[in-house]
Amino acid sequence: MPELPEVETVLQGIEPCVENKFIRAIIVRQSKLRWEIPKNIQQHLVNQKVIKLSRRGKYLLFHLKVGTLILHFGMSGSLKILTTNKPPTTHDHFDLIFDNFYLRYTDPRRFGSLLFTEEDPEHHPLLASMGPEPLSNAFNERYLFKKAKNRKVGVKQFIMNHKIVVGVGNIYAAESLFLAGIHPLTPVSEITEARFEKLTKAIKKVLQSAIKKGGTTLKDFRNSEGKAGYFQQKLNVYGRANEPCLECQQLLQDIRIQNRATVFCPKCQPL
DNA sequence: AAATTCTCCTGAAGGC
DNA sequence: TGCCTTCAGGAGAATT
């Protein structure tokens, strides 16, 4: 599933193609994604120039001359740049048509979304209450420590809460906690600022290195079709339940938190 | 206010 | 071989 690094990779991949280009049309084949694609979206897009692309959490934003397209990939969404007519298949839900190419959105599970807003996107209900970007300076041990005060929730849920920090999904939450040596169920109010420093640094590190690898993939393939980013990353714990810890050989444990698979090393990440 | 549960959807995997 | 059941998962909404 597209995590923050993959969204960033997609952004970097399509940016050179779409920036300062005009959207000529949108073809919607399946409007029922997580939310209905607005029926009047076409009128907002046609002949509008894409001024720039940006990312907020896992949302990809197309800033137009007037208004902003807000795209989320859900669990199984992907964008391709196509330059020749290719018959759409079952899960190709919309095409964004430019002059010499089009972007095709594919999403088997339809947890993604495509919305449009005329207001400042940061004020859009979906984005307004988001926490800081994990790679920004605002996301640091002091910030987390203050937020964690008087809270009982476990640290994995805490860092996956978008009001606390955006873009930390299940994979990177598990990997970051392993790197920081913190048990996923540790109540956040019991975590010292020093340990939060380890955690914030771990989160930045895993995300950065995945983005870097995604960027490398882009250079190699020069389009957004290649599987990018985290697939190539060495994962220490995610998907390795009951396998030996790469640090201490102890068998990795698999628990369920909020119905999410959560793998950790009981020896490296004691409670 | 904070925390938990529910919900959308389909492909993959497992059971028989 | 094939049909049926189960399950994963991002994240906002609904509920406790």
Side-chain angles (χ1 to χ4, degrees):
Chain A
M1 63 298 316
E3 298 252 357
L4 182 150
E6 203 179 21
V7 178
E8 183 65 32
T9 300
V10 170
L11 186 158
Q12 291 173 18
I14 67 174
E15 190 166 43
C17 297
V18 305
E19 227 173 48
N20 295 317
K21 301 291 177 13
F22 290 88
I23 299 174
R24 298 307 184 188
I26 180 170
I27 296 170
V28 178
R29 302 184 192 84
Q30 167 61 274
S31 63
K32 288 193 170 62
L33 302 184
R34 174 158 196 195
W35 293 287
E36 178 106 27
I37 298 176
K39 290 195 172 58
N40 64 355
I41 199 164
Q42 165 108 6
Q43 72 192 53
H44 292 296
L45 307 184
V46 169
N47 296 328
Q48 278 244 56
K49 190 193 259 190
V50 178
I51 305 299
K52 69 162 186 163
L53 286 183
S54 68
R55 179 187 58 72
R56 182 76 173 98
K58 297 181 190 171
Y59 285 91
L60 187 58
L61 307 179
F62 294 72
H63 301 265
L64 309 180
K65 189 133 181 292
V66 180
T68 306
L69 259 183
I70 302 176
L71 175 62
H72 195 286
F73 293 97
M75 292 222 359
S76 55
S78 63
L79 265 189
K80 275 183 205 154
I81 299 172
L82 295 174
T83 51
T84 57
N85 263 337
K86 209 178 158 189
T89 56
T90 325
H91 303 300
D92 296 336
H93 304 314
F94 69 82
D95 293 344
L96 212 51
I97 316 288
F98 292 75
D99 285 324
N100 300 312
F101 68 95
Y102 57 102
L103 297 178
R104 171 161 289 174
Y105 180 76
T106 310
D107 187 357
R109 293 189 187 173
R110 290 164 39 203
F111 280 5
S113 53
L114 180 70
L115 299 170
F116 178 85
T117 181
E118 283 187 88
E119 55 185 326
D120 177 350
E122 286 290 321
H123 297 154
H124 189 277
L126 288 177
L127 307 182
S129 59
M130 283 183 158
E133 286 289 324
L135 297 175
S136 71
N137 292 333
F139 181 64
N140 55 40
E141 61 275 17
R142 173 149 320 179
Y143 167 80
L144 270 194
F145 186 70
K146 279 175 82 171
K147 282 283 179 186
K149 207 171 177 182
N150 299 321
R151 296 189 143 195
K152 296 175 172 34
V153 73
V155 64
K156 180 166 181 257
Q157 284 169 255
F158 187 64
I159 59 174
M160 289 181 69
N161 177 347
H162 308 300
K163 291 181 180 176
I164 303 300
V165 58
V166 297
V168 181
N170 202 37
I171 296 173
Y172 291 116
E175 294 299 316
S176 305
L177 288 167
F178 174 79
L179 279 193
I182 300 174
H183 192 291
L185 290 174
T186 312
V188 288
S189 57
E190 293 175 13
I191 298 177
T192 62
E193 200 167 324
R195 302 202 77 208
F196 272 132
E197 185 182 358
K198 277 193 153 184
L199 181 56
T200 52
K201 284 184 171 163
I203 289 171
K204 289 169 194 279
K205 188 175 168 185
V206 292
L207 293 176
Q208 284 283 23
S209 100
I211 289 171
K212 205 170 165 185
K213 291 189 175 145
T216 311
T217 307
L218 271 182
K219 271 192 178 150
D220 292 345
F221 293 96
R222 216 62 207 140
N223 64 37
S224 62
E225 292 198 51
K227 281 291 179 197
Y230 64 92
F231 284 112
Q232 307 188 337
Q233 192 164 31
K234 180 188 95 179
L235 297 176
N236 284 297
V237 288
Y238 184 84
R240 298 194 63 244
N242 302 313
E243 292 178 40
C245 172
L246 297 172
E247 284 296 318
C248 75
Q249 318 309 320
Q250 179 94 195
L251 286 193
L252 297 178
Q253 248 182 51
D254 183 19
I255 58 173
R256 224 132 255 289
I257 297 178
Q258 299 271 111
N259 216 24
R260 300 285 182 271
T262 305
V263 185
F264 67 100
C265 173
K267 199 168 163 192
C268 298
Q269 300 167 263
L271 193 56

